[in-house]
């Protein structure tokens, strides 16, 4: 569509100042592409690391000190205070929380550690 002469379509050499600017821009573009490539490799490495470490999370509850024997269940007795009525129970890892009230009507939360086989916390709950 252009009606220019063939010799006018050829690129003319740039003046030295514009050539320096062009070289700097090409260098900046290459450095930016290299940095982005390194960051992409770091992200992919982190993803591969997380995927390969999923097996360790499945074994984490046993590493907390509670190993369930294969031939028999764990037997433990939580000695709650006399007259304590249990309203709610919660399990977290190797600990059981008993929430309830004493015979005097005081609300308490008692934490029993299965691995230790004893009560590790006796918390009085007071409301204002």
């Amino acid at each position: 569509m252009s009606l220019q002469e063939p010799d006018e379509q050829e690129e003319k050499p740039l003046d030295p100042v514009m050539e320096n600017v062009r070289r700097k821009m090409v260098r900046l573009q290459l450095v930016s592409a290299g940095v982005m490539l390194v960051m992409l490799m770091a992200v992919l490495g982190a993803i591969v690391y997380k995927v390969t470490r999923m097996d360790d999370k499945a074994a984490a509850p046993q590493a907390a000190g509670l190993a369930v024997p294969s031939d028999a269940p764990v037997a433990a007795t939580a000695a709650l205070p006399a007259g304590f009525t249990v309203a709610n129970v919660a399990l977290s890892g190797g600990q059981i929380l008993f929430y309830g009230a004493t015979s005097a009507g005081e609300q308490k939360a008692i934490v029993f550690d299965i691995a230790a086989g004893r009560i590790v916390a006796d918390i009085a709950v007071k409301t204002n």
Side-chain angles (χ1 to χ4, degrees), residues 5 9 14 28 30 38 44 53 62 65 71-72 93 98 101:
E5 296 292 324
Q9 289 181 354
L14 296 173
L28 176 66
L30 291 174
V38 168
L44 291 176
R53 297 295 175 195
Q62 291 182 356
D71 58 344
F98 297 99

Side-chain angles (χ1 to χ4, degrees), residues 11-92:
E11 289 187 24
K12 296 178 183 176
L14 296 173
D15 60 332
V17 174
M18 287 304 291
E19 184 64 26
N20 285 341
V21 170
R22 187 189 69 79
R23 284 183 184 163
K24 285 182 182 179
M25 292 300 291
V26 168
R27 191 176 326 137
L28 176 66
Q29 198 172 20
L30 291 174
V31 169
S32 298
V35 168
M36 288 186 63
L37 183 65
V38 168
M39 293 300 131
L40 178 66
M41 296 304 287
V43 168
L44 291 176
I47 290 171
V48 168
Y49 176 78
K50 288 287 187 179
V51 168
T52 58
R53 297 295 175 195
M54 288 299 219
D55 298 336
D56 292 346
K57 288 187 179 179
Q62 291 182 356
L66 178 65
V68 178
S70 61
D71 58 344
V74 174
T77 302
L80 299 174
F84 184 80
T85 56
V86 178
N88 199 356
V89 177
L91 174 68
S92 176

Side-chain angles (χ1 to χ4, degrees), residues 107-108 120 126:
Q107 293 184 350
K108 282 192 168 191
V120 294
K126 294 184 180 181

